[in-house]
Amino acid sequence: SIQNADFQSILALYQRQKDANWAYTALEISPSSSNDEVKKAYRRMAMKYHPDKVNSLGDEVRQSATEKFRKVKEAYDYLKEQRGI
């Protein structure tokens, strides 16, 4: 079963046209988060979804984690650009 925060995070990655705060939701933080909190959230999510972390769980899980990791990085890169980090 998937946690609600994980579901919302994943959903945000695909709702970017509808949700101006998609990148924050994807990183499970709020728009009022500091730059340090943005960086910490990215590191936390990157560790959670890094393909090497789930390598032993099979190809399907690794492929899913790889896609999520890529999207988390996309959200972080977007916020870095928006915030000038």
Side-chain angles (χ1 to χ4, degrees), residues 57-76:
L57 299 178
D59 288 342
E60 187 175 320
V61 173
R62 189 180 75 250
Q63 191 173 24
S64 178
T66 299
E67 178 65 19
K68 174 68 174 173
F69 180 76
R70 190 176 304 123
K71 294 292 188 178
V72 164
K73 175 135 178 40
E74 186 179 325
Y76 179 59

Side-chain angles (χ1 to χ4, degrees), residues 6-82:
D6 288 336
F7 174 75
Q8 294 301 322
S9 174
I10 293 166
L11 181 63
L13 297 167
Y14 299 96
Q15 298 286 319
R16 59 195 305 174
Q17 273 72 17
K18 298 177 186 175
D19 180 7
N21 294 322
W22 71 272
Y24 294 101
T25 305
L27 295 177
E28 298 179 4
I29 56 175
S30 72
S32 63
S33 297
S34 70
N35 288 347
D36 280 344
E37 290 170 322
V38 170
K39 291 175 188 177
K40 286 177 188 173
Y42 168 70
R43 284 194 294 271
R44 179 177 37 82
M45 297 295 280
M47 291 295 290
K48 184 176 183 177
Y49 292 108
H50 196 283
D52 290 347
K53 290 283 187 184
V54 297
N55 217 12
S56 64
L57 299 178
D59 288 342
E60 187 175 320
V61 173
R62 189 180 75 250
Q63 191 173 24
S64 178
T66 299
E67 178 65 19
K68 174 68 174 173
F69 180 76
R70 190 176 304 123
K71 294 292 188 178
V72 164
K73 175 135 178 40
E74 186 179 325
Y76 179 59
D77 289 344
Y78 173 80
L79 289 179
K80 283 193 326 186
E81 183 179 320
Q82 293 297 309

